Amino acid sequence: MGLPVDATLGEKIRFYRQRAGLTQKGLADLCEVSESAIRNYELGNRVPDFFTLKNISQQLRVSYYAIADVNLTELDGAVQALFKLEEIYALHPVEVDGHIHFAFRDSVALEDFRKNPDIALAGIGAMLQQRVRSFLKVCVLHDAGELTDEEYELWKSKFPAFMEDLQNGVCGEGGDGEIGPVPPSEPKSPERSRKRKVNNGR
């Protein structure tokens, strides 16, 4: 059985330890720590510091980033994140005209989405593709100068949990990523709010 994609740090230590054919005591001896320390790391009762985890990964002969929580600011951490995207969503690198792109192994055409919106529920890869398509539309507008940096960041900050805030805005109704005017990102001043209430007869 392989390593679950949502494995905890302790589960990853256990997985790679067992794959290396080591007991908890054997790994502890190699790392010059107590057996109980390894046991507690695997159970999630304790978290090893950076140097200890680095040593554990070296003794297990795996990348530190394969065990540690993904840190996207580190190059090797970002690569591990790409490995996870391939494993979970079948998103893999392809080379086109000398340039590297990422593509879905089971890509769903836009026309297929339009004919059958429920196709997005067919699998997690299709669900991600639908969201990425919305992202792509907004990127195109931002690159063309039709969305300011602030509007672009606002769209990303609200996606997807608060997309109802942008109904008839950046994403139109229906969740298909259609683009429209972006609501103002600056809060109304108290003076404007009071004036609006008066004008509305409240």
Side-chain angles (χ1 to χ4, degrees):
M1 183 176 177
L3 184 67
V5 295
D6 59 348
T8 64
L9 184 145
E11 289 170 338
K12 287 185 277 189
I13 292 175
R14 181 189 304 117
F15 175 82
Y16 290 115
R17 172 181 62 77
Q18 292 174 340
R19 173 168 283 186
L22 291 170
T23 63
Q24 289 180 340
K25 184 178 186 309
L27 179 58
D29 290 344
L30 288 172
C31 295
E32 298 181 347
V33 298
S34 67
E35 182 179 353
S36 65
I38 297 296
R39 184 182 308 110
N40 280 305
Y41 295 153
E42 293 186 359
L43 291 173
N45 296 331
R46 291 173 57 189
V47 178
D49 60 34
F50 170 81
F51 295 104
T52 302
L53 187 57
K54 191 82 171 176
N55 190 22
I56 289 173
S57 64
Q58 289 174 342
Q59 299 305 329
L60 294 176
R61 301 184 69 79
V62 298
S63 168
Y64 165 81
Y65 295 98
I67 298 179
D69 292 332
V70 171
N71 181 354
L72 296 179
T73 64
E74 298 280 350
L75 284 177
D76 291 333
V79 173
Q80 287 292 329
L82 293 177
F83 293 161
K84 289 297 181 186
L85 288 173
E86 193 279 333
E87 185 178 345
I88 301 170
Y89 299 104
L91 189 66
H92 70 295
V94 293
E95 187 170 351
V96 180
D97 297 328
H99 297 276
I100 296 176
H101 302 263
F102 279 84
F104 293 94
R105 293 188 189 278
D106 300 316
S107 181
V108 181
L110 177 60
E111 189 61 29
D112 292 334
F113 273 122
R114 288 174 173 164
K115 290 179 181 177
N116 180 18
D118 290 339
I119 199 171
L121 304 176
I124 194 167
M127 294 170 71
L128 179 62
Q129 288 176 60
Q130 189 179 41
R131 286 160 173 76
V132 171
R133 187 164 274 119
S134 296
F135 182 25
L136 173 61
K137 289 181 179 182
V138 177
C139 283
V140 169
L141 288 182
H142 179 244
D143 290 345
E146 296 183 37
L147 287 180
T148 66
D149 291 346
E150 292 76 14
E151 291 169 335
Y152 182 54
E153 291 303 319
L154 174 65
W155 185 88
K156 291 193 292 183
S157 72
K158 289 183 177 292
F159 187 91
F162 299 101
M163 289 307 293
E164 64 270 18
D165 289 355
L166 299 182
Q167 289 293 339
N168 301 316
V170 177
C171 271
E173 292 187 26
D176 60 359
E178 293 301 322
I179 310 301
V182 178
S185 56
E186 294 182 2
K188 299 290 186 299
S189 67
E191 293 75 19
R192 285 189 176 183
S193 297
R194 284 196 293 270
K195 186 174 182 181
R196 177 170 283 109
K197 290 179 181 179
V198 171
N199 290 339
N200 290 337
R202 295 176 186 167

